[in-house]
Amino acid sequence: MSAGLSKFVQVVIASPVRHHFDYLPAEGLKATDYLVGSRVEVPFGRRNMTGIVIGHCQTSSIAADKLKAIRQKLDSTAIVSEDLLSLAEWMSNYYHHPYGDTLLSLLPNQLRKGGSVDAYSQYCWKITPHGLGWPDDALQRAPKQAELLNFLRTAERAETDTLTGEAILKEAGHSRASALELAKKGLASSVEQGYYPADCQSILRGQAQDKPPTLNAEQIEACSLIADRLGSFDTVLLEGITGSGKTEVYLRAIDKVLSLGQQVLVLVPEIGLTPQTINRFVDRFDVPIAIFHSGLTDRERLAAWTAASDGVARIIIGTRSAVFTPMANAGLIIIDEEHDGSYKQQDSLRYSARDIAIIRARTKNIPVVLGSATPSLETLFNAQTKKYQHSVLKNRAGSASPPSIELLDIRRQVLHEGLSDNAIAAIGETLFSGQQAMVFVNRRGFAPLLMCHDCGWHAQCDHCDARLTLHNRPHELHCHHCGHRAKVPTACPRCQSSRLLQVGQGTQRSAEALTALFPRFPVIRIDRDSTQGKQAMGERVDLINRGEPAILVGTQMLAKGHHFPALNLVVVLDIDQGLYNPDFRGPEKTVQLLTQVAGRAGRAGHGGRVLIQTHMPEHPLLQIWQTESYQGIIETLLNERSLRTLPPYAHIALIRADSPKPEQALRFLNQLAQQQTNTLNQSGCQLIGPLAAFMEKRAGRHRAQLMIKSEQRKSLHSAVKQLIQSLDQSKKPSGLRWSIDIDPQDVI
Ligand code: ADP
Ligand code: ZN
Ligand code: ZN
């Protein structure tokens, strides 16, 4: 098609509609004046919306007099690169999500809202030809202006880029007022330009002050495996126990890529992106590093985005959504802790950042490294079947040796606030020998259950099928599923008894108990409640890193990414609940968590000790894990998946529905299933359900789900496509919502 003949502009917007919209160019412009990948403001219904141009066409299915004209251009260049356009197309097909909504959700908020692509802009000044010829003594009565004119003249002669930003003027002691005076006289002129302020929180300047250690043999092998693959697509699984020096391998690979003049994207889990993590990169390299995390303002995020897109930032570090960062010159993608659940987006566009990273690497023809001490079964399966390269670090780096693991049978034991005598004794020994102990509690708050001793009543959320957790300071009941808060009753609402029991252990209660047991030692609690403030987490980590004897109490926030050199003992309060998790990924996740928690112990060469309290010491998973660690358990878990034809041996999609009315979502999915069962079975797909969700009511909505399973990805996707067509056409009861989740992480 000759572009010159195109009359219409194809635009997508963030909308549930699955197709693009045709628009007319604004008066005086041609369709092709709107570049593919640039943003436009378009009228839509009664509103104006930000759209992205995805193409041009000669004919439209809508009559030309019905078409509206684009209101305005928002960009003069294509700010969405071709690879992002095609990534959005791939995602839209794979996740069965509307293309426009997919594409717009890849962009930073500011761009989605139609804001300027320059996060920060400033006036930049330049001397005019008139100013250049101006005699030196002609500004005698305005010495400040004379000085500034001189400054601009020097800049003009000295540099290739002769625009001088206001930040530089200010630094040299010149004011904007003098610059404006020069402009009035025609001696200087200014343009507004984007720039990166030195104190921008999302772009850090590397310091390169760190002296890298000498690699051990395993690390050398891993490094050369990665180095050999630079320049073409491949996926490398770097499996290494905690403390084996995976991060060091990443750093060496990054060094190599930087020396080739390319950029590196590093993805880390949500709770792994600590100042500690970032500092390891800042301390090693002297290049600009763009950071994406949830604590940034929209403007800071945009600055990091453009810095990566321009090629200014050489290393890009971020959590899940950083996987969409455009890069001028990418050379490598690294995904740390690839098994981590935070890589999966759990609402709206339910993508897996790990899988997207692999797709991006393939399109860019560069390698991607997946690192983990506890790789997901899917990834291990791909390594076993040689789809991925596999590099293993079996030993701890430096002088550290792996911790010893003991299962503590707590049946019939007297527990003191959840702690057995053995655990208390071990904590005492650790503290008195000058080291730190960590108690892992899988629940935040004070007690997971408030119950009446006389009639058995317990505090339940009004909006969810869930119990309320008792919190202290403030003394309240919280629902951890919907955020609902309630007063703590002084008497049982059912029988008026005042004998209310606080049952079970939360982090707050364990911290109090440990403070009472060991009053001379600080107890540092780390959970979502105690780390709310911006600095709270950092302050706590600093305190721990001082290395003085202390007790750390926390949830899985403590389990990941931290390197606490003085930590020598880990006590896991209770793991049994995890082993009974009804989700098919439950055992995998529990063993991963155990391994990660255990990995915190003895990272700096004291050996380290891990105590697991359990009522089921003979549980096969615990037994295998204790003797053969995570690696030993893989075959068992994979076998079970194979027997039940579950991922990675099959592919699944989940259609979820919810409604404020009981039964409605289930009825809706039932209808859908009945219509489609025959055709789906013929195409080799199995429908499972619909079933009510495990927690049927959540945040006031009643939930149900339908699983579609197939051993062939292709037939799964055509089945889902068919189901969605039917869903799009069906009459939806008001208030009902449905969504689709491809490769769901949680299926209960
Ligand atoms: P991982 O990412 O696998 O948990 P790290 O890369 O964080 O491991 O390494 C753990 C610790 O060992 C860090 O303090 C790191 O500086 C150190 N380390 C890594 N490689 C070596 C090495 N070859 N020699 C000595 N110390 C090392
Ligand atoms: Zn009662
Ligand atoms: Zn609730």
Side-chain angles (χ1 to χ4, degrees):
M1 174 178 75
S2 151
L5 294 172
S6 297
K7 284 202 288 220
F8 309 108
V9 187
Q10 299 172 315
V11 175
V12 291
I13 56 172
S15 126
V17 178
R18 289 179 191 274
H19 56 75
H20 68 261
F21 298 94
D22 295 336
Y23 281 91
L24 295 166
E27 224 173 279
L29 289 176
K30 300 189 298 295
T32 47
D33 290 336
Y34 300 90
L35 299 177
V36 170
S38 67
R39 292 171 307 152
V40 286
E41 185 183 301
V42 290
F44 190 77
R46 289 154 177 252
R47 291 188 295 160
N48 290 318
M49 293 188 73
T50 305
I52 296 170
V53 178
I54 60 159
H56 309 99
C57 55
Q58 296 169 46
T59 54
S60 173
S61 54
I62 312 282
D65 60 343
K66 291 255 165 52
L67 285 178
K68 295 183 183 165
I70 292 174
R71 284 183 61 89
Q72 62 165 330
K73 266 180 159 184
L74 296 173
D75 300 308
S76 51
T77 57
I79 62 152
V80 185
S81 57
E82 218 163 286
D83 78 310
L84 280 194
L85 288 169
S86 64
L87 178 69
E89 196 173 332
W90 182 89
M91 287 177 69
S92 162
N93 286 324
Y94 187 85
Y95 294 114
H96 301 270
H97 195 84
Y99 179 53
D101 203 58
T102 307
L103 184 54
L104 276 125
S105 55
L106 308 194
L107 300 184
N109 226 348
Q110 294 249 110
L111 295 183
R112 208 155 46 219
K113 289 192 303 202
S116 159
V117 73
D118 292 319
Y120 300 88
S121 62
Q122 64 174 354
Y123 283 98
C124 293
W125 295 88
K126 184 178 165 60
I127 191 163
T128 59
H130 184 47
L132 272 175
W134 195 256
D136 272 349
D137 51 2
L139 279 169
Q140 256 173 4
R141 278 195 294 163
K144 282 191 181 151
Q145 291 172 40
E147 269 173 42
L148 175 55
L149 191 67
N150 227 341
F151 187 77
L152 293 176
R153 183 176 287 139
T154 318
E156 177 82 17
R157 287 189 187 134
E159 304 209 9
T160 37
D161 178 14
T162 53
L163 283 169
T164 306
E166 277 196 340
I168 297 175
L169 287 193
K170 226 182 233 159
E171 213 170 288
H174 301 288
S175 69
R176 176 188 278 185
S178 318
L180 289 171
E181 285 304 320
L182 290 183
K184 255 195 221 159
K185 300 186 173 89
L187 304 177
S189 65
S190 69
V191 284
E192 200 176 347
Q193 257 197 358
Y195 82 119
Y196 301 109
D199 59 352
C200 177
Q201 297 290 315
S202 59
I203 303 169
L204 306 179
R205 185 79 217 178
Q207 308 288 334
Q209 56 191 10
D210 205 21
K211 200 170 157 287
T214 313
L215 298 183
N216 62 35
E218 288 180 334
Q219 286 174 315
I220 292 174
E221 208 175 306
C223 285
S224 63
L225 181 77
I226 299 168
D228 288 348
R229 273 151 189 86
L230 295 178
S232 62
F233 169 65
D234 208 340
T235 309
V236 178
L237 166 60
L238 177 61
E239 181 183 6
I241 58 167
T242 36
S244 60
K246 290 183 296 296
T247 311
E248 189 56 44
V249 172
Y250 305 153
L251 294 174
R252 297 302 170 97
I254 293 171
D255 197 32
K256 179 95 198 212
V257 175
L258 292 178
S259 73
L260 297 171
Q262 296 173 316
Q263 295 169 292
V264 183
L265 171 65
V266 183
L267 296 184
V268 291
E270 259 156 31
I271 43 184
L273 190 55
T274 59
Q276 245 185 328
T277 310
I278 294 170
N279 284 343
R280 283 191 76 177
F281 294 86
V282 171
D283 291 346
R284 183 63 65 88
F285 303 108
D286 65 350
V287 297
I289 302 175
I291 311 283
F292 289 93
H293 61 75
S294 53
L296 299 174
T297 62
D298 279 355
R299 181 195 281 237
E300 287 164 341
R301 292 185 77 83
L302 177 59
W305 193 87
T306 45
S309 164
D310 292 352
V312 169
R314 303 290 304 286
I315 303 174
I316 297 105
I317 309 174
T319 51
R320 183 174 62 232
S321 64
V323 73
F324 304 124
T325 314
M327 284 173 283
N329 188 14
L332 176 69
I333 303 179
I334 294 169
I335 305 160
D336 191 25
E337 310 288 0
E338 68 84 31
H339 65 280
D340 194 273
S342 72
Y343 287 127
K344 175 82 193 217
Q345 165 119 331
Q346 300 286 14
D347 56 13
S348 184
L349 174 52
R350 292 167 166 79
Y351 65 89
S352 152
R354 177 196 61 203
D355 298 347
I356 302 287
I358 295 171
I359 298 295
R360 287 205 78 188
R362 197 174 65 195
T363 0
K364 289 182 171 291
N365 204 28
I366 58 172
V368 51
V369 176
L370 313 184
S372 176
T374 55
S376 61
L377 292 185
E378 280 89 345
T379 297
L380 281 164
F381 178 76
N382 283 327
Q384 284 179 1
T385 53
K386 308 276 182 244
K387 229 176 116 182
Y388 297 170
Q389 307 291 330
H390 195 178
S391 184
V392 186
L393 308 180
K394 293 197 188 71
N395 301 299
R396 280 196 164 177
S399 55
S401 55
S404 74
I405 291 171
E406 298 155 53
L407 301 179
L408 280 187
D409 185 353
I410 52 170
R411 283 173 296 194
R412 291 183 301 275
Q413 297 269 320
V414 179
L415 296 182
H416 181 80
E417 296 287 354
L419 288 163
S420 63
D421 288 343
N422 284 338
I424 295 173
I427 295 170
E429 270 168 43
T430 307
L431 294 172
F432 285 104
S433 67
Q435 292 166 330
Q436 295 173 343
M438 174 175 124
V439 178
F440 173 76
V441 186
N442 214 356
R443 178 92 64 145
R444 63 193 172 88
F446 188 79
L449 178 63
L450 182 70
M451 188 169 77
C452 171
H453 193 50
D454 290 341
C455 78
W457 168 89
H458 56 251
Q460 178 95 17
C461 178
D462 293 341
H463 314 283
C464 306
D465 293 329
R467 290 164 178 169
L468 293 172
T469 303
L470 184 67
H471 281 241
N472 63 359
R473 264 171 275 136
H475 190 57
E476 270 177 348
L477 291 163
H478 291 190
C479 176
H480 287 183
H481 303 282
C482 72
H484 173 67
R485 292 178 175 210
K487 274 202 181 132
V488 183
T490 45
C492 170
R494 197 198 282 163
C495 76
Q496 270 67 52
S497 159
S498 59
R499 299 210 286 173
L500 294 178
L501 302 179
Q502 305 175 344
V503 185
Q505 299 293 321
T507 44
Q508 294 178 344
R509 187 174 203 169
S510 292
E512 277 188 16
L514 287 159
T515 307
L517 280 168
F518 301 101
R520 297 204 353 244
F521 297 94
V523 172
I524 304 164
R525 197 182 97 220
I526 295 193
D527 57 28
R528 223 170 60 224
D529 303 312
S530 73
T531 54
Q532 286 280 318
K534 232 180 170 178
Q535 258 94 50
M537 184 70 181
E539 281 167 8
R540 283 173 155 74
V541 169
D542 287 346
L543 192 60
I544 297 168
N545 279 333
R546 265 196 240 151
E548 282 153 26
I551 307 171
L552 288 50
V553 178
T555 55
Q556 47 184 313
M557 280 187 90
L558 266 181
K560 290 180 195 170
H562 300 289
H563 178 65
F564 300 134
L567 181 65
N568 204 39
L569 171 74
V570 168
V571 176
V572 176
L573 211 60
D574 182 7
I575 197 62
D576 298 352
Q577 220 179 9
L579 295 168
Y580 277 128
N581 186 336
D583 194 299
F584 80 86
R585 286 187 217 272
E588 175 190 355
K589 288 192 178 149
T590 302
V591 183
Q592 284 168 343
L593 182 59
L594 265 183
T595 311
Q596 296 284 348
V597 174
R600 299 308 115 198
R603 302 217 344 157
H606 327 282
R609 200 174 162 201
V610 180
L611 303 179
I612 314 282
Q613 297 195 152
T614 172
H615 285 93
M616 310 185 284
E618 69 291 339
H619 194 291
L621 283 186
L622 284 181
Q623 286 290 333
I624 306 173
W625 179 72
Q626 184 192 14
T627 49
E628 297 172 57
S629 75
Y630 185 71
Q631 284 62 37
I633 233 161
I634 304 305
E635 285 315 309
T636 314
L637 294 179
L638 278 175
N639 262 334
E640 196 190 317
R641 297 279 184 91
S642 161
L643 285 174
R644 296 170 58 194
T645 344
L646 285 167
Y649 302 93
H651 308 286
I652 53 179
L654 210 57
I655 296 182
R656 297 192 180 88
D658 60 48
S659 157
K661 294 201 191 103
E663 304 290 324
Q664 193 172 56
L666 194 58
R667 260 201 314 273
F668 179 74
L669 291 182
N670 244 323
Q671 247 170 17
L672 177 75
Q674 268 164 17
Q675 287 164 10
Q676 304 283 337
T677 305
N678 284 341
T679 29
L680 292 190
N681 286 346
Q682 276 161 20
S683 67
C685 287
Q686 198 188 343
L687 280 187
I688 301 162
L691 295 169
F694 187 66
M695 183 191 297
E696 200 261 336
K697 189 171 95 176
R698 181 173 178 161
R701 302 187 69 91
H702 297 266
R703 312 179 306 150
Q705 59 191 37
L706 176 63
M707 191 191 280
I708 308 116
K709 187 166 97 171
S710 173
E711 289 173 54
Q712 253 56 49
R713 220 181 238 295
K714 228 177 161 176
S715 52
L716 179 80
H717 280 271
S718 56
V720 169
K721 204 163 184 177
Q722 191 178 326
L723 282 169
I724 287 183
Q725 258 167 19
S726 155
L727 280 164
D728 278 345
Q729 284 157 14
S730 70
K731 241 190 91 192
K732 198 166 57 94
S734 80
L736 183 132
R737 296 184 306 209
W738 64 268
S739 64
I740 178 101
D741 192 350
I742 305 291
D743 310 327
Q745 277 294 305
D746 305 307
V747 299
I748 60 165

